[in-house]
Amino acid sequence: MTRRHGFTLIELLIATALLTIVAVYLLQTLTVNHRAYVVIDQVSESQQTMRAIATLIERDIRHAGMLVPQNAAVCGVDNANAPDILYVTDADAIDPQ
């Protein structure tokens, strides 16, 4: 009996099926990760844009004299089980010296 070297057709089909299953799983994982990255990137960009817009609006309103100066006195109470309280005066901050 002579022995041939190589793979049988069944072995090749099984290896191809396993490789296909692994490739499909990897492709699905990469697709989900890419979608999550795109969503997080969009949210991050939106937040940065909103911060920039808020800063511009605040600056314009301050220049128009509608808000207290940036060095105005601000006092806040950080309540754990109730809404926080923020006090802002119309006067400049009081210098204790």
Side-chain angles (χ1 to χ4, degrees), residues 50-70:
M50 291 303 293
R51 279 190 211 106
I53 290 171
T55 301
L56 290 173
I57 290 173
E58 178 187 5
R59 187 195 68 191
D60 289 346
I61 291 175
R62 283 192 192 283
H63 284 266
M66 303 295 246
L67 288 176
V68 298
Q70 282 187 328

Side-chain angles (χ1 to χ4, degrees), residues 19-72:
L19 183 62
T20 303
I21 291 170
V22 170
V24 167
Y25 177 75
L26 274 174
L27 184 63
Q28 287 178 344
T29 302
L30 290 174
T31 302
V32 168
N33 285 338
H34 178 67
R35 287 181 187 159
Y37 171 78
V38 168
V39 168
I40 290 171
D41 188 48
Q42 289 173 346
V43 168
S44 175
E45 186 175 342
S46 296
Q47 288 175 342
Q48 287 177 337
T49 303
M50 291 303 293
R51 279 190 211 106
I53 290 171
T55 301
L56 290 173
I57 290 173
E58 178 187 5
R59 187 195 68 191
D60 289 346
I61 291 175
R62 283 192 192 283
H63 284 266
M66 303 295 246
L67 288 176
V68 298
Q70 282 187 328
N71 60 351

